[in-house]
Amino acid sequence: LVAPARSHAQATGAFPAPKAAWIVKSDAHAKLVLDVTARFSPEFAGFVGLEGFDDPVFDLKPKLRERTREANRAVQARLDKLLGEETDPLVRQDLGILIKAVKDTLEQADLEDRYLVPYFDVPQTIFRGLRALLDDQVAPLRRAQAVVRLKRYSGLEQGYTPITVLAQDRMRQGLARPGLQGPFKGEIEKHLANSSRYVEGIGKLFEKYKLEGW
């Protein structure tokens, strides 16, 4: 019998070192924050490497600001509790960083709610959400999820409202509140000018990977 060939890692003993316990703990805490991001912006979650977020789409349903604020307050309370129970100084340091990040997010959300009309560059969101899946480095099975995501963006799947309609609704609600500042004219003009480029880019990507059914 011929002995099986050993891998380079086996031959050299170069196996990845296991993570230290405090790093495993801190990673779990960070995931609590990332899960909130993934709930409302799954495209970004997939972009940073979280698994299982290839077909969900950006949440623009009613009471978006209230729901994101509630979710972030809940995760802050959870992190505060963990900090009170933790004794490892390295884990405590990371918890402090996470808590500050969540507090900053909440402060920014409060300021936006107080002063700004909700505004979204929807064409860019759609393009980035599809571009993240349509790449040579992405497995073919994952690329196919771009069709599902596009249907959901477009409202062609049951239970989904077109993302453009949702964005309009959120903006109109903001415009109905006196004193809120809308987006700058130049910003809107720039986004409108880019729209055709995004549409063209999406078409080329779907053609390149021969995706149909949408």
Side-chain angles (χ1 to χ4, degrees):
L1 294 178
V2 178
R6 297 203 301 166
S7 69
H8 175 74
Q10 289 173 317
T12 61
F15 290 102
K19 286 185 178 180
W22 74 269
I23 295 178
V24 173
K25 225 178 205 184
S26 286
D27 286 350
H29 297 157
K31 189 174 183 301
L32 295 174
V33 179
L34 289 173
D35 283 346
V36 174
T37 301
R39 191 187 317 172
F40 297 99
S41 184
E43 296 91 339
F44 178 77
F47 176 75
V48 298
L50 295 182
E51 296 182 357
F53 296 98
D54 288 344
D55 54 1
V57 296
F58 188 33
D59 182 352
L60 285 178
K61 294 188 286 294
K63 296 188 180 297
L64 173 62
R65 285 178 169 175
E66 294 87 343
R67 291 184 292 110
T68 53
R69 187 182 296 113
E70 181 181 353
N72 277 298
R73 284 175 177 165
V75 78
Q76 181 189 340
R78 178 76 185 280
L79 293 171
D80 284 339
K81 184 175 184 295
L82 289 167
L83 181 61
E85 299 169 347
E86 185 58 57
T87 57
D88 188 316
L90 294 175
V91 179
R92 286 181 60 83
Q93 182 181 51
D94 283 353
L95 279 167
I97 293 170
L98 290 172
I99 290 169
K100 184 181 185 305
V102 175
K103 286 181 176 179
D104 288 347
T105 297
L106 283 166
E107 183 178 358
Q108 178 180 340
D110 286 341
L111 290 172
E112 290 177 352
D113 190 46
R114 193 180 309 166
Y115 297 112
L116 299 179
V117 171
Y119 175 72
F120 312 93
D121 186 358
V122 174
Q124 183 186 78
T125 297
I126 294 174
F127 177 77
R128 287 181 174 177
L130 298 173
R131 183 68 182 85
L133 296 171
L134 299 178
D135 187 274
D136 290 343
Q137 297 182 21
V138 175
L141 286 177
R142 289 187 60 206
R143 283 189 219 130
Q145 295 303 305
V147 175
V148 178
R149 183 167 271 178
L150 183 57
K151 285 182 176 179
R152 293 178 177 179
Y153 284 140
S154 306
L156 297 177
E157 184 171 320
Q158 187 173 2
Y160 286 83
T161 302
I163 190 173
T164 50
V165 173
L166 292 173
Q168 288 174 2
D169 289 345
R170 302 293 76 75
M171 190 168 186
R172 284 172 177 154
Q173 288 173 353
L175 290 169
R177 290 174 53 192
L180 295 189
Q181 175 70 50
F184 295 110
K185 178 182 176 182
E187 181 182 13
I188 297 175
E189 290 175 342
K190 178 182 177 181
H191 292 165
L192 289 173
N194 288 336
S195 295
S196 59
R197 181 166 57 89
Y198 290 137
V199 171
E200 182 182 357
I202 290 170
K204 288 181 178 179
L205 287 170
F206 271 67
E207 182 179 350
K208 175 181 178 179
Y209 294 109
K210 299 179 172 56
L211 295 175
E212 300 177 352
W214 59 282

